[in-house]
Amino acid sequence: MADLSHSIVSGIDQVADTILGYSLLSSGPALKDSFMPNGVQVHSHVATRVQEARVAGSAILQRSKIAAGVWPPPTAAPDLIASLHETGAAVRRLVADAKQAIRLVRASMAVDIAKAEEQRRLWMHGEQVRAMFQVWESSTVTVATAASTLPVDPSASQQNQVASPSESAAKAAVVLKDAGHLDDPTDGIVFENSAVRGGRLRFDEPFVRAFLMTHHSFTTSQDLMSVLIKRYELVPPLGIKDENSFRVWVECKLMPVRTRVLTIITMWVNNYFSDFLSDDKVLLVKLREFLNIKAAQDFPIKVQQINGLLTTQLAAFDSREPPIDEKQAPKPIVSKAVGKLADGFQHLLDVDSTELARQWTLIEARCFRAVSNKEWINQIWGRVHEASRTKAPTIDTMIGLTNKVTTLVSLMVVREEQEKARHVAIKYWIHVAQACAALNNYNAVTAVIAGLKMGPVRRMEKTWASFHKKHPKSSESFTKLSEAVSTSGQYANYRKLMKNVQPPCIPFLGVHITDLTFIEDGNPDYLPDESSGHLINFEKRRKVAAVIEEISQMQRACKYHLHTVPAIESFLMRLEITSTERELYAMSVKAEPIEDDSDDE
């Protein structure tokens, strides 16, 4: 019984201490100074209720000792039960009054916070703050450190001058800095050797480019824009109570933040404009609404520049096809066979191999330039699921054309029953590969070599033996091209070749897809952090961004001065090959039967 009584009294003391703390907060200097100029005087009443509960608890302790004695009086048990009821009633009264006190505190806080927010809103739209933004944008004011930041005098701002030092401004800056209101904390950022290794959805200036390039792997463009707008609309801390301190906070904190947000948006529009054209241009509409309604009030000149950049980018995307330099463009080689391509590939070998390589290169160059950065993210290329395929349509188009031509190359060799005709087909495609290599179209080179090395073609040993003997130059070219795009050493020869290649160039997509796959599979999307959840793995994004940036450089320079031959282009775009590898193998065996190696006896 004594242990139970001690537990009850201990519980009453804990509840009482907690409630007293809240009641003190309602009238104490901390609350009064921070939020409630008038205060709410409830502590005295709550303290009385606490004392009543503690007295009732003490009565329980005393009567429990009497009841636990050797010869307790007959009234000991009823007295103890009565004390328990009295204590329960006292605690209920205490809790009820405490709840009422908390409601009064919250109501008073809500009123005072609303008044403070309204005051800050008036300050934000005041003439002095507007003048500060004008001076900031015209680059006549330099943001100093928090300890030396000075407010802008209205008359001085009209003359585009900085106000003279004032003691009150310096004190305000020191107070704000000590309170942490001018800090830009790095919470949520993981550093390793002075580099950002991971973090949450936020920004750090040196990594903005990689962040913008790879943000599709962990968020959407619309959510990212919402984060930027929210950051632009940074709310002043509640601790700012006078206009002088508010102006210091605006100049030292708000102005740099808003400037960085507009700088990031400018970089986004300038380098990754395709993000703004997807999803029916919803992101573009959202950006223009933000610029013209909100940002234009603070930075009219900067907003005008961004709007001009948007107009330029839209015009560029409306006319993506780069102009042809007639002086550099060779005359198309068009034979009568070109007109027969509409009937199928039966007359393809009569089309000039160089011109076929040119038209193939033009198609792939147009597709390659159109690949957006987000198509390289998260291995979304080539997926079978129809909903996912639309996420990388251009890469899928290039992969599809490559696979079709590879199959066509093999088909045009194995379908010929005469060895001489097979030689003609092999030689033709080697010449096409040579012409593609001359145009730095290594995606096409790889497709042709892959077609000539498919199992159904490679097994025709007699055909290849006689071809090497009768066509040594073509055979030598085939060997060099095969070595250039060989998979050995993780495409070591190809990588070495690409370091010295001069634009324009169409790389072999398979190498970059392989690199991105290794990065995606070998690095987690998030860094485990037991204390605060998962952090975005920026080290992984940096590696992905390095590969995509290399591709982007080739995309920007991928401009061929070649004339289009509609008939050849139409043939390649409409190309449909239905033959399977098993059917190709059957044709190969028919053209060059399998030899019986057993001895005839």
Side-chain angles (χ1 to χ4, degrees), residues 5 33 150 160 167 235 311 351 397 407 433 527 544 549 574 594:
S5 301
D33 291 344
L150 304 177
N160 289 335
E167 184 178 354
V235 177
T311 302
V351 175
T397 298
T407 306
L527 299 177
V544 171
E549 179 59 32
R574 292 185 296 102
I594 299 174

Side-chain angles (χ1 to χ4, degrees), residues 338-358:
V338 171
K340 301 178 181 179
L341 289 177
D343 300 330
F345 60 83
Q346 291 78 7
H347 301 282
L348 181 59
L349 296 182
D350 295 325
V351 175
D352 186 81
S353 58
T354 299
E355 193 58 46
L356 179 66
R358 291 173 182 171

Side-chain angles (χ1 to χ4, degrees), residues 150-198:
L150 304 177
V152 178
D153 183 75
S155 59
S157 66
Q158 294 175 1
Q159 301 172 5
N160 289 335
Q161 296 177 351
V162 181
S164 59
S166 72
E167 184 178 354
S168 61
K171 289 182 178 180
V174 172
V175 171
L176 291 176
K177 184 177 181 181
D178 291 342
H181 297 325
L182 301 180
D183 296 338
D184 194 6
T186 56
D187 178 47
I189 296 291
V190 177
F191 291 94
E192 185 176 277
N193 298 327
S194 300
V196 171
R197 180 170 174 241

Side-chain angles (χ1 to χ4, degrees), residues 235 253-254 257-258 276 315 338 341 348 487:
V235 177
K253 178 72 174 183
L254 184 62
V257 166
R258 291 190 170 183
F276 295 87
V338 171
L341 289 177
L348 181 59
T487 59

Side-chain angles (χ1 to χ4, degrees), residues 29 32 37 82 105 113 131 211 283 375 383 447 458 577:
K32 184 175 180 180
V105 170
I113 290 174
F211 189 101
L283 185 63
E375 291 193 42
R383 288 181 178 173
R458 190 176 63 250
I577 304 296

Side-chain angles (χ1 to χ4, degrees), residues 367-384:
C367 291
F368 181 55
R369 288 194 302 270
V371 177
S372 62
N373 290 325
K374 68 179 180 181
E375 291 193 42
W376 300 106
I377 304 296
N378 288 348
Q379 305 181 42
I380 61 176
W381 53 84
R383 288 181 178 173
V384 177

Side-chain angles (χ1 to χ4, degrees), residues 335-501:
S335 63
K336 294 181 179 180
V338 171
K340 301 178 181 179
L341 289 177
D343 300 330
F345 60 83
Q346 291 78 7
H347 301 282
L348 181 59
L349 296 182
D350 295 325
V351 175
D352 186 81
S353 58
T354 299
E355 193 58 46
L356 179 66
R358 291 173 182 171
Q359 300 307 309
W360 188 2
T361 297
L362 282 176
I363 294 174
E364 293 206 323
R366 185 164 57 248
C367 291
F368 181 55
R369 288 194 302 270
V371 177
S372 62
N373 290 325
K374 68 179 180 181
E375 291 193 42
W376 300 106
I377 304 296
N378 288 348
Q379 305 181 42
I380 61 176
W381 53 84
R383 288 181 178 173
V384 177
H385 195 282
E386 196 63 30
S388 297
R389 289 183 64 84
T390 58
K391 295 180 181 179
T394 318
I395 293 179
D396 281 352
T397 298
M398 292 188 70
I399 292 175
L401 178 59
T402 298
N403 292 339
K404 290 176 183 178
V405 174
T406 296
T407 306
L408 176 64
V409 171
S410 180
L411 174 61
M412 293 188 67
V413 174
V414 300
R415 76 188 186 102
E416 300 291 348
E417 296 185 1
Q418 299 298 320
E419 185 179 87
K420 184 177 180 180
R422 293 196 291 274
H423 287 181
V424 171
I426 293 173
K427 186 176 181 180
Y428 178 84
W429 284 111
I430 291 175
H431 288 172
V432 171
Q434 285 180 294
C436 289
L439 293 169
N440 292 333
N441 183 359
Y442 290 99
N443 196 60
V445 171
T446 306
V448 173
I449 298 302
L452 293 175
K453 286 192 170 185
M454 280 185 70
V457 180
R458 190 176 63 250
R459 64 159 294 278
M460 306 177 81
E461 296 181 359
K462 285 186 176 181
T463 300
W464 281 107
S466 59
F467 179 81
H468 293 321
K469 183 177 181 180
K470 295 180 179 179
H471 305 282
K473 290 186 178 180
S474 296
S475 178
E476 182 181 357
S477 298
F478 174 72
T479 301
K480 290 181 178 180
L481 291 171
S482 298
E483 292 175 352
V485 296
S486 171
T487 59
S488 62
Q490 295 184 349
Y491 296 94
N493 292 337
Y494 169 79
R495 295 180 190 275
K496 184 178 179 180
L497 181 66
M498 291 301 293
K499 289 182 179 180
N500 301 317
V501 70

Side-chain angles (χ1 to χ4, degrees), residues 545-560:
V547 176
I548 298 178
E549 179 59 32
E550 181 182 351
I551 298 172
S552 297
Q553 291 178 1
M554 289 185 281
Q555 284 179 296
R556 291 190 289 269
C558 190
K559 301 176 182 178
Y560 287 93

